[in-house]
Amino acid sequence: MMTYAKMNSVDLMLVAGDVFDGEYVTRETLSLLCREFENFGKPVFITPGNHDCASPNSVWQKNAFPSNVHVFRESALKSVELDEVGVTVYGYAFCEPDMLSSPLVGYTVRDRERINLLVCHADMTSNSSTSCPLSPGQIEAFGADYTALGHVHNPPSPGKDNRYCYCGCLEPRAFDETGAKGAPIVEINKSGRTSDVTIKPVRFSKRRYEKGGLSVDGASTAADIDGALRRYIAENRFGEDTMLWLKLR
């Protein structure tokens, strides 16, 4: 992902939480992350999520990051101005594993003439979630041109007019994270208070997990089943990068 960002002159990067799966991070992993961000050279904004929350002992609170990296370390909504490009980036952090309400409630962007971005870790799948429940109405009321969301590894389609999108994950880990994985590349063009947002998903995963079902009615030999399996794989264009789980009926 970092190589793609550099080669395609990406202007900035929004990392929407759960960079790590827990509080403990090795020095080698942290060094790799910092080196890649520093080599990228453009602004990077990170909001810690429910798995890697910005607790007092976390890497977010105790470690220094390259000068081009901004980590949102408070649960209250904060912002950073990038005046050279007319952009304002808003964000907040999980400071403990649970967040029962969204810090966005009651707030709107300050200047609608700028390109306003929001990076946040939030759960749009349940109003009773303990991982910062967030609704499309709250995103719309806040008024950002684009909201980069983290938390859901199998992202749904982008929101209305591409105003928000879950990034998903860069590499799947099991059969509950199916399909090719990667990150959305977002382009925003704005004139006055009117913005146009396009989103292009880019695959970065080296492997993919897939699940499905296959009828083997009428098969009388192992060779018949083997042929049905091969046809299923060919029809779905699964290659050697695919880990396939099939229920035979």
Side-chain angles (χ1 to χ4, degrees), residues 1-2 5-6 10-17 19 33-47 60 65-73 80 82 84 89 117 119:
M1 182 183 73
M2 302 305 299
K6 285 184 288 187
V10 170
D11 294 306
L12 59 86
M13 185 173 294
L14 304 177
V15 183
V19 179
L33 193 74
C34 288
R35 184 169 65 250
E36 288 295 329
F37 285 152
E38 187 172 28
N39 289 340
F40 174 54
K42 305 289 184 63
V44 177
F45 295 89
I46 302 174
T47 173
W60 309 121
F65 287 85
S67 59
N68 62 312
V69 177
H70 180 87
V71 180
F72 291 100
R73 295 182 171 89
V80 178
L82 299 176
E84 65 276 14
V89 182
L117 305 177
V119 54

Side-chain angles (χ1 to χ4, degrees), residues 124 134-142:
M124 297 187 69
L134 185 64
S135 70
Q138 289 170 331
I139 291 178
E140 185 175 354
F142 182 68

Side-chain angles (χ1 to χ4, degrees), residues 31-220:
S31 175
L32 170 66
L33 193 74
C34 288
R35 184 169 65 250
E36 288 295 329
F37 285 152
E38 187 172 28
N39 289 340
F40 174 54
K42 305 289 184 63
V44 177
F45 295 89
I46 302 174
T47 173
N50 60 312
H51 282 273
D52 62 351
C53 61
S55 61
N57 292 322
S58 67
V59 294
W60 309 121
Q61 302 286 12
K62 298 181 69 173
N63 293 84
F65 287 85
S67 59
N68 62 312
V69 177
H70 180 87
V71 180
F72 291 100
R73 295 182 171 89
E74 301 177 40
S75 57
L77 187 69
K78 300 294 181 181
S79 65
V80 178
E81 308 281 348
L82 299 176
D83 290 328
E84 65 276 14
V85 287
V87 171
T88 302
V89 182
Y90 294 83
Y92 58 82
F94 274 69
C95 292
E96 53 188 32
D98 291 339
M99 181 178 285
L100 302 183
S101 62
S102 171
L104 296 186
V105 177
Y107 289 92
T108 60
V109 299
R110 290 188 300 275
D111 185 353
R112 292 185 179 272
E113 300 286 332
R114 296 172 68 87
I115 293 178
N116 295 289
L117 305 177
L118 171 64
V119 54
C120 65
H121 201 79
D123 189 351
M124 297 187 69
T125 67
S126 172
N127 292 332
S128 58
S129 174
T130 59
S131 298
C132 190
L134 185 64
S135 70
Q138 289 170 331
I139 291 178
E140 185 175 354
F142 182 68
D145 294 285
Y146 178 74
T147 297
L149 293 162
H151 187 62
V152 176
H153 289 201
N154 291 317
S157 300
K160 181 182 178 182
D161 298 327
N162 290 331
R163 295 299 174 186
Y164 60 86
C165 180
Y166 272 105
C167 61
C169 55
L170 292 175
E171 195 73 41
R173 302 175 300 172
F175 284 105
D176 62 345
E177 297 176 359
T178 55
K181 301 300 183 184
I185 306 302
V186 181
E187 182 176 332
I188 302 173
N189 293 292
K190 189 167 187 177
S191 176
R193 295 192 173 191
T194 303
S195 59
D196 180 67
V197 183
T198 59
I199 298 175
K200 180 178 73 170
V202 178
R203 177 180 176 174
F204 296 117
S205 60
K206 294 181 179 179
R207 63 181 182 276
R208 61 190 292 182
Y209 290 88
E210 298 290 351
K211 294 179 70 173
L214 177 64
S215 172
V216 289
D217 285 351
S220 58

